[in-house]
């Protein structure tokens, strides 16, 4: 005998689906895109567990078990250096890049001139829409030891020119600073939206109590947007091992391979030039498993602290 509660729920769901059927149709293109470009390529993950040969195809290639993962963890000094570079650069991106949009959003929120605020926001957004192909060339030109404006200023001050793009000591700093510059403006969009949702009565009450602008920022604005910050931090952790493939590919050179070669550039270089498809698939799979584990752990920690997590 059918469960009346389950039947009633099914009827309500069917009624809602019929009522919103045209809106649900808008989901179809997105679902098709994900099915074709996200989920169907996951069939190729099994390459990581095979000795893949292009002529034999995925199904015809022999199984290798965990052979490539053992090589990855124990036998490849290059991969260990690659992982080290990835973690270091990603850590710098989080330490310097994650708080930057929050700070800029708070500063924009304090600007009283609407014209100046709009102009400043537009200028800060602009680099986001430029590709790293363009920005990479711009960086190389600006930081050139012979004609770059930065080294021209250093020479004018009586200092020696520095070849930033070929110096192991400076290259990571260039990566982090340029990445922050490119994305800081676009990153403020979500935080400005969260700040706009703060109840204005809270600010009015704070003014009555004698709180200045800084106290309002630290005791009202920041605590109110903490849930949004927590969600954005979780999403950022999911990309922890994505240290900026486009940026590094368009700016690095053999002189700085030792400090800039990351997982994605290693996979691109070895996978395509040396046709080590199984090894590079294992590397990428290993990276994604670590990213998933970090997101789940951070989600648990954030929920235990009293904030809402992703799941």
């Amino acid at each position: 005998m059918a469960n009346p509660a389950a039947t009633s729920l099914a009827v309500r769901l069917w009624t809602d689906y019929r009522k919103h059927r045209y809106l649900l149709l808008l989901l179809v293109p997105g679902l098709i895109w994900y099915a074709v470009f996200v989920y169907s390529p996951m069939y190729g993950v099994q390459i990581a567990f095979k000795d893949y040969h292009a002529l034999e195809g995925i199904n015809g290639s022999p199984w290798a078990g965990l052979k490539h993962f053992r090589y990855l963890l124990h036998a490849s000094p290059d991969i260990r250096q690659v992982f080290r570079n990835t973690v270091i650069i990603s850590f710098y991106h989080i330490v310097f890049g994650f708080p930057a949009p929050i700070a800029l959003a708070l500063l924009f929120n304090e600007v009283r001139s609407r014209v100046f605020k709009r102009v400043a926001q537009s200028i800060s957004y602009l680099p986001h829409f430029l590709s790293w192909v363009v920005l990479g060339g711009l960086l190389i030109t600006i930081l050139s030891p012979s004609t770059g404006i930065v080294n021209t200023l250093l020479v004018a001050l009586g200092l020696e020119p520095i070849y930033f793009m070929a110096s192991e000591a400076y290259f990571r700093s260039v990566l982090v600073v340029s990445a922050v510059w490119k994305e800081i403006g676009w990153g403020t969009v979500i935080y400005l939206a969260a700040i706009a949702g703060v109840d204005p009565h809270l600010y009015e009450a704070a003014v009555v109590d004698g709180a200045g602008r800084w106290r309002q920022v630290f005791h009202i604005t920041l605590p109110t947007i903490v849930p949004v910050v927590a969600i954005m931090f979780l999403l950022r952790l999911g990309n922890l091992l994505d240290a900026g493939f486009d940026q590094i590919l368009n700016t690095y050179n053999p002189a700085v391979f030792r400090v800039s070669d990351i997982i994605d550039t290693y996979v691109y270089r070895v996978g395509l030039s040396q046709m080590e498809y199984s090894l590079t698939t294992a590397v990428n799979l290993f990276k994604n498993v670590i990213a998933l584990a970090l997101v789940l752990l951070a989600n648990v920690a954030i929920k235990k602290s009293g904030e809402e997590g992703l799941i």
Side-chain angles (χ1 to χ4, degrees):
M1 184 175 180
N3 187 338
T7 303
S8 176
L9 177 61
V11 170
R12 289 200 304 272
L13 287 175
W14 178 248
T15 302
D16 288 340
Y17 287 150
R18 283 183 58 82
K19 180 180 178 181
H20 302 292
R21 58 187 181 276
Y22 296 115
L23 291 176
L24 292 173
L25 281 175
L26 296 176
L27 286 174
V28 173
L31 293 176
I32 293 174
W33 186 90
Y34 272 97
V36 173
F37 295 104
V38 177
Y39 289 102
S40 61
M42 292 178 68
Y43 174 76
V45 168
Q46 61 183 297
I47 292 176
F49 304 95
K50 291 189 169 188
D51 282 325
Y52 177 73
H53 302 288
L55 296 179
E56 297 176 3
I58 295 177
N59 292 329
S61 299
W63 288 98
L66 299 177
K67 166 187 171 183
H68 303 294
F69 292 94
R70 285 193 294 268
Y71 177 81
L72 165 66
L73 295 173
H74 302 294
S76 176
D78 289 340
I79 295 181
R80 286 196 291 272
Q81 181 64 43
V82 163
F83 270 102
R84 182 174 178 273
N85 291 336
T86 304
V87 171
I88 291 174
I89 295 173
S90 296
F91 177 76
Y92 288 161
H93 280 315
I94 289 180
V95 170
F96 298 104
F98 182 76
I102 302 174
L104 186 60
L106 293 173
L107 291 174
F108 280 150
N109 187 57
E110 298 302 314
V111 175
R112 292 293 169 258
S113 172
R114 291 187 176 181
V115 174
F116 178 80
K117 183 177 180 179
R118 289 176 180 174
V119 171
Q121 284 181 275
S122 298
I123 293 173
S124 68
Y125 295 161
L126 182 61
H128 170 79
F129 299 100
L130 300 177
S131 71
W132 276 114
V133 176
V134 175
L135 292 181
L138 185 62
L139 279 175
I140 293 171
T141 301
I142 292 175
L143 300 176
S144 169
S146 56
T147 59
I149 185 172
V150 173
N151 278 300
T152 300
L153 291 174
L154 291 178
V155 172
L157 294 172
L159 302 175
E160 291 293 326
I162 302 171
Y163 197 171
F164 291 95
M165 304 305 289
S167 170
E168 293 185 355
Y170 290 98
F171 189 75
R172 286 175 179 165
S173 300
V174 172
L175 290 178
V176 174
V177 171
S178 59
V180 171
W181 168 66
K182 184 177 187 296
E183 299 298 339
I184 187 173
W186 187 250
T188 62
V189 173
I190 292 177
Y191 298 114
L192 284 172
I195 292 172
V198 178
D199 187 352
H201 292 96
L202 295 175
Y203 294 113
E204 294 172 4
V207 171
V208 171
D209 290 339
R213 298 305 303 175
W214 282 109
R215 286 188 176 274
Q216 292 176 40
V217 168
F218 287 106
H219 294 284
I220 297 177
T221 309
L222 274 176
T224 306
I225 67 172
V226 161
V228 175
V229 173
I231 294 297
M232 296 304 295
F233 183 71
L234 278 176
L235 296 175
R236 182 64 186 85
L237 275 183
N239 296 319
L240 177 66
L241 297 182
D242 293 329
F245 170 72
D246 288 342
Q247 179 191 19
I248 294 177
L249 184 67
N250 285 286
T251 55
Y252 79 159
N253 55 75
V256 292
F257 268 3
R258 196 176 67 87
V259 297
S260 64
D261 197 18
I262 61 172
I263 293 174
D264 293 329
T265 55
Y266 177 85
V267 168
Y268 174 81
R269 189 177 66 257
V270 175
L272 292 182
S273 64
Q274 301 178 23
M275 295 186 291
E276 293 283 353
Y277 302 115
S278 295
L279 176 61
T280 50
T281 303
V283 172
N284 223 21
L285 181 59
F286 184 69
K287 181 190 80 169
N288 288 317
V289 169
I290 293 175
L292 176 61
L294 288 172
V295 169
L296 294 177
L297 289 173
N299 186 69
V300 171
I302 287 175
K303 293 182 74 172
K304 284 185 177 294
S305 69
E307 301 295 337
E308 293 187 8
L310 290 175
I311 55 177

